[in-house]
Amino acid sequence: MAETLFFNALREAIDEEMARDSSVFVLGEDVGHYGGSYKVTKDLYQKYGELRILDTPIAENSFTGMAVGAAMTGLRPIIEGMNMGFLLLAFNQISNNAGMLRYTSGGNFKIPMVIRGPGGVGRQLGAEHSQRLETYFQAVPGLKIVACSTPRNAKGLLKSAIRDDNPVLFFEHVLLYNLKEDLPEEEYLLPLDKAEMVREGKDITIITYSRMRHHVLQALKTLEKKGYDPEVIDLISLKPLDFDTIGASVRKTHKVIVVEESMRTAGIGAEVIASINDRLFDELDAPVLRLSSQDIPTPYNGNLERLTIIQPEQIVEAVEKMVALRV
């Protein structure tokens, strides 16, 4: 086992897959000489050259379209969005092209591409740099959406995403890049369509993903001291949802809280709740509670920014209130 930073876990995944498969290449702004805005591609330019670590102009729609074309011809592009919010400029290429070409070509083309990069609410990055694009893309057919949350799952999931024959949106949270974790020295891959059972419990199910996993873990320290026994699920796969894991937990605890950083209206939490109500309504002892960000552009002011997203103390309060409910 070797202690590895989050961004280095991603770098290792890319390096290993590029060494394994000559069809894998990286493109994006400053991914080459500069090594990526968060150093995920550091030194890979010197190792693989400019044709496989390709610095692009500031033109997300153009280089995303180019990547779709490259994937159609059998290459495996990895797009790095310097900030995932910039990829709104490539929404058409991702949704109408990458997401649909396998279907509209009658299966004649596969689109094996990964679109990855930093997103989420950082520390005073302002509204345009604090986007949570998973909610924008969840309605697009043909895409897989993954949100990594630890160095271990970041590496294993990225390797699987690179090998997948479908377009994968791979979300990394901007505040997780310096997390450390011991990683296996041997190669490992993780499934793109499975949630992770972070903690088993019996009182209540807490469903979360990305950075909010760590807010939930902070809340757990307080909850455990108070005698609560929550079950915690990290979704990881946002599209498709791993409803086998979710359903088994709901049948056990009968109470559910969804904790997310995306906005409340039409967020991932809304889809999770709708799915639970559709399939497991009779298993619920109380309505599913949703803890989400406020529906406003993220303020630059640090104190206001903190108020827009869910904090550990709010999770503790919500669990206490829901567990106290008696049927």
Side-chain angles (χ1 to χ4, degrees), residues 28-61:
E29 296 145 353
D30 287 339
V31 297
H33 290 281
Y34 187 69
S37 54
Y38 289 90
K39 301 305 177 186
V40 173
T41 55
K42 183 181 179 182
D43 298 330
L44 295 183
Y45 177 84
Q46 288 80 2
K47 185 172 181 179
Y48 295 104
E50 63 183 9
L51 291 180
R52 295 189 67 195
I53 303 290
L54 182 61
D55 278 320
T56 65
I58 302 174
E60 285 79 6
N61 57 344

Side-chain angles (χ1 to χ4, degrees), residues 2 6 23 29 81 105 119 140 155 158 174 183 188 207-208 244 267 271:
F6 192 101
S23 68
E29 296 145 353
S105 71
V140 178
K155 182 177 180 180
L158 184 53
V174 68
L183 299 187
Y188 68 96
I207 299 172
T208 190
D244 288 342
E271 179 62 29

Side-chain angles (χ1 to χ4, degrees), residues 20 24 53 61 67 152 155 178 188 192 210 213 245 247 250 276 285 287:
R20 171 184 171 273
V24 177
I53 303 290
N61 57 344
R152 180 181 180 278
K155 182 177 180 180
N178 287 321
Y188 68 96
L192 298 178
S210 189
R213 167 182 174 139
T245 300
V250 173
I276 291 173
D285 287 345

Side-chain angles (χ1 to χ4, degrees), residues 3 14 40 43 64 116-117 119 121 126 188 193 223 233-234 255 262 280 320 322 326:
E3 188 175 64
I14 294 171
V40 173
D43 298 330
T64 302
R116 54 152 296 271
V121 178
Y188 68 96
D193 57 354
L223 291 167
I233 296 172
D234 183 345
K255 294 178 180 179
S262 62
L280 296 168
E320 289 178 326
M322 184 166 279
R326 294 290 179 260

Side-chain angles (χ1 to χ4, degrees), residues 25 27-29 54 56-80 86-99 101 109-115 167:
F25 73 102
L27 72 162
E29 296 145 353
L54 182 61
T56 65
I58 302 174
E60 285 79 6
N61 57 344
S62 298
F63 67 71
T64 302
M66 183 178 75
V68 173
M72 292 172 70
T73 67
L75 298 178
R76 291 183 177 272
I78 305 169
I79 293 174
E80 176 177 307
F86 302 158
L87 291 176
L88 289 174
L89 293 164
F91 194 99
N92 177 63
Q93 285 74 20
I94 296 170
S95 58
N96 278 330
N97 300 150
L101 269 168
F109 294 111
K110 298 176 182 177
I111 314 294
M113 62 185 291
V114 177
I115 303 166

Side-chain angles (χ1 to χ4, degrees), residues 4-6 9-10 13 146-161 170-173 176 179 181-184 188-192 194-198 208-211 213-214 217 233-237:
T4 306
L5 288 160
F6 192 101
L10 294 165
V146 171
C148 57
S149 54
T150 68
R152 180 181 180 278
N153 67 39
K155 182 177 180 180
L157 291 166
L158 184 53
K159 286 174 70 71
S160 295
F170 195 91
F171 287 96
E172 306 150 14
H173 198 287
L176 299 183
L179 280 183
E181 188 176 17
D182 289 336
L183 299 187
Y188 68 96
L189 289 87
L190 295 174
L192 298 178
K194 296 295 182 184
E196 180 183 342
M197 181 62 69
V198 179
T208 190
Y209 68 92
S210 189
R211 183 193 175 204
R213 167 182 174 139
H214 302 281
L217 291 176
I233 296 172
D234 183 345
L235 286 174
I236 293 177
S237 176

Side-chain angles (χ1 to χ4, degrees), residues 132 134-135 138 209 257-274 287-297 308-310 314:
R132 286 132 285 178
E134 62 268 25
T135 61
Q138 71 176 124
Y209 68 92
I257 295 176
V258 180
V259 183
E260 62 180 343
E261 195 180 271
S262 62
M263 280 72 69
R264 181 178 179 86
T265 300
I268 299 298
E271 179 62 29
V272 172
I273 292 171
V288 181
L289 180 62
R290 181 175 13 161
L291 301 180
S292 313
S293 293
Q294 296 186 38
D295 289 323
I296 60 171
T308 65
I309 60 176
I310 295 300
Q314 293 171 279

